[in-house]
Amino acid sequence: QVQLVESGGGLVQSGGSLRLSCAASESISSINAMGWYRQAPGKQRELVAGIISGGTTNYGDSVKGRFTISRDMAKNTMYLQMNSLKPEDTAVYYCNAIVVVVPSLRRVNYWGQGTQVTVSS
């Protein structure tokens, strides 16, 4: 059972920056993939950025060039640096971890409680 705790959300003006953190309860080297998702009111949850165990990253089209996902293996923490924020980035941001269970290869998803990001115009 992996527990994820997000922090770093808040209120920021358009064009500003925030850094979200996601602290995992166990070594993230044992986690196959991690990512950030967001959900705005009335909208579906969407992928913001992801990182797999080998370090390869991917981003949603709307955040490419503005957001950067990273991780600190020693601190068991994943980050999302968000720059040039826009009002449309306003959402609850969730941390996600995927663990592939051997030998069944069943994928288990874990979620944090979410952190609110509000960007004012």
Side-chain angles (χ1 to χ4, degrees):
Q1 187 84 3
V2 179
Q3 294 181 333
L4 305 170
V5 179
E6 301 104 333
S7 60
L11 173 65
V12 64
Q13 288 188 332
S14 181
S17 298
L18 281 175
R19 188 177 79 156
L20 304 182
S21 299
C22 172
S25 61
E26 63 178 66
S27 173
I28 60 175
S29 62
S30 66
I31 298 173
N32 298 88
M34 298 185 74
W36 290 97
Y37 287 74
R38 68 186 181 187
Q39 188 166 20
K43 295 188 177 181
Q44 289 189 330
R45 190 172 295 191
E46 64 173 354
L47 174 69
V48 176
I51 184 167
I52 63 173
S53 56
T56 302
T57 60
N58 66 294
Y59 296 91
D61 288 341
S62 62
V63 306
K64 284 180 181 176
R66 299 188 297 124
F67 290 11
T68 302
I69 188 171
S70 64
R71 59 189 179 179
D72 186 328
M73 307 294 272
K75 295 182 178 180
N76 294 327
T77 300
M78 176 180 66
Y79 302 99
L80 184 68
Q81 178 66 44
M82 305 185 292
N83 298 328
S84 302
L85 282 161
K86 306 174 181 179
E88 50 264 43
D89 294 317
T90 295
V92 177
Y93 284 69
Y94 296 92
C95 174
N96 170 259
I98 298 174
V99 175
V100 178
V101 180
V102 295
S104 66
L105 301 185
R106 180 171 64 94
R107 292 159 57 100
V108 180
N109 269 279
Y110 298 95
W111 294 93
Q113 81 286 356
T115 185
Q116 177 71 46
V117 171
T118 302
V119 184
S120 63
S121 57

